[in-house]
Amino acid sequence: MFQHTIFSFAFGLVSMLLAADGRLVWSKLVLLLIALLAARTGANAINRVIDAEIDEANPRTRTRQIPQGKMTKREALLFSIICFAIMLVAAAFMNRTSLWLAPVALFFMVIYSYTKRFTAFCHLVLAFTCAMAPAGAWIAMTGTVSWTAIFLAGANMFWVAGFDIIYGAQDVDFDRSHGIHSIPAALGVAGGLLVAKLFHVIAFSCLVIVGLLVPQFSWIYWGGLLVIGILLMVEHAVVRPDHLAHAEIASYNVNELVSVVFLLTGVLDIFI
């Protein structure tokens, strides 16, 4: 699931390079990519297993692999176990602290799929799990954390939570009728979109703080933030409570661009 891995990989790579003072450690970079790719793919696979019955009942997700019979739950579970094992091995090769903390990340990757059954804060659980990428990348390089890593994680967390709420707004009627919890289901689509805007303001503020904490960041980073700010405004402009036709474009396609912009400008500014 490289397309979805980019959401965490961009923050993880920038965090790793900052922790290493701009030194590109190829072995750690390869391990980071393997760990994030395996973790995201495994998390998606286990989510498909846990939510198989919900996916089959929801017209929007009925075309996924398990409801369509293209993959069995047992096959998907085995695949997720293999992915998680690869993640743990990659963490072990980084350092001992990474290995000790990897099961914590693994726990949240699995528990997230259950949270929608009892709390509207499921978006934040998913986002917290994604935010472990920049924090974990910093730990992989230094064995410690810093304020820069914390605010990178905060930006990653509230950014993901915001666009996951937009994505979830498509299923309000289904969620309410099937007892599925989400912020849009709890507050209504209008309320959910307002919370998503607030979360993205917090995320953008965290990125501003990162820019202030890192003295080597120049106009390249700040220019990237300007583009990211515009993309976030576009994201919220194309979705309205009475018009969710572009919700998937806003929640995924636009944010894939945000990831790429942050990755390119952050990495370029570190090296130039």
Side-chain angles (χ1 to χ4, degrees):
M1 296 291 294
F2 182 78
Q3 187 178 7
H4 289 179
T5 306
I6 190 68
F7 296 136
S8 294
F9 178 69
F11 284 84
L13 180 57
V14 170
S15 179
M16 174 173 281
L17 292 174
L18 288 174
D21 293 324
R23 292 180 291 105
L24 187 58
V25 183
W26 284 103
S27 59
K28 290 291 181 74
L29 175 61
V30 171
L31 288 170
L32 176 69
L33 180 58
I34 290 173
L36 290 178
L37 186 58
R40 181 71 190 203
T41 306
N44 275 320
I46 197 68
N47 175 262
R48 296 292 192 267
V49 174
I50 295 169
D51 285 352
E53 286 74 24
I54 295 174
D55 288 344
E56 186 172 8
N58 189 340
R60 188 181 60 79
T61 57
R62 200 170 289 159
T63 56
R64 288 178 174 175
Q65 294 91 339
I66 293 178
Q68 286 289 303
K70 296 177 181 178
M71 178 178 282
T72 67
K73 290 174 67 173
R74 182 176 181 180
E75 289 170 338
L77 179 60
L78 177 61
F79 182 63
S80 66
I81 291 172
I82 293 171
C83 288
F84 290 147
I86 292 172
M87 182 200 76
L88 292 173
V89 171
F93 276 100
M94 288 180 181
N95 57 44
R96 185 174 297 179
T97 305
S98 295
L99 177 59
W100 286 347
L101 293 176
V104 178
L106 181 58
F107 169 79
F108 280 96
M109 288 176 210
V110 175
I111 200 66
Y112 154 70
S113 296
Y114 292 101
T115 57
K116 64 174 70 73
R117 290 160 170 79
F118 59 86
T119 178
F121 293 108
C122 53
H123 314 280
L124 288 169
V125 178
L126 168 65
F128 178 80
T129 307
C130 293
M132 290 183 181
W138 195 284
I139 292 170
M141 292 304 299
T142 66
T144 62
V145 293
S146 71
W147 283 112
T148 300
I150 290 171
F151 280 104
L152 278 171
N156 200 176
M157 176 176 172
F158 285 102
W159 170 56
V160 170
F163 72 71
D164 190 59
I165 290 172
I166 296 174
Y167 183 78
Q170 302 174 95
D171 295 328
V172 167
D173 293 336
F174 175 85
D175 289 349
R176 287 173 173 172
S177 64
H178 287 76
I180 305 299
H181 296 267
S182 72
I183 287 178
L187 302 179
V189 175
L193 294 180
L194 183 61
V195 173
K197 288 180 182 177
L198 174 62
F199 282 176
H200 282 163
V201 168
I202 296 173
F204 190 82
S205 300
C206 287
L207 290 178
V208 170
I209 294 173
V210 169
L212 296 174
L213 288 173
V214 180
Q216 63 262 44
F217 275 156
S218 66
W219 64 269
I220 298 176
Y221 177 83
W222 295 106
L225 282 197
L226 177 61
V227 175
I228 288 171
I230 293 172
L231 287 171
L232 291 176
M233 287 189 286
V234 169
E235 176 179 345
H236 289 279
V238 300
V239 289
R240 302 190 308 272
D242 60 343
H243 184 72
L244 294 174
H246 301 304
E248 192 153 349
I249 294 173
S251 56
Y252 280 120
N253 299 103
V254 174
N255 287 293
E256 286 167 3
L257 290 176
V258 170
S259 300
V260 172
V261 170
F262 181 72
L263 179 65
L264 291 178
T265 56
V267 171
L268 279 174
D269 213 353
I270 291 170
F271 285 124
I272 293 179

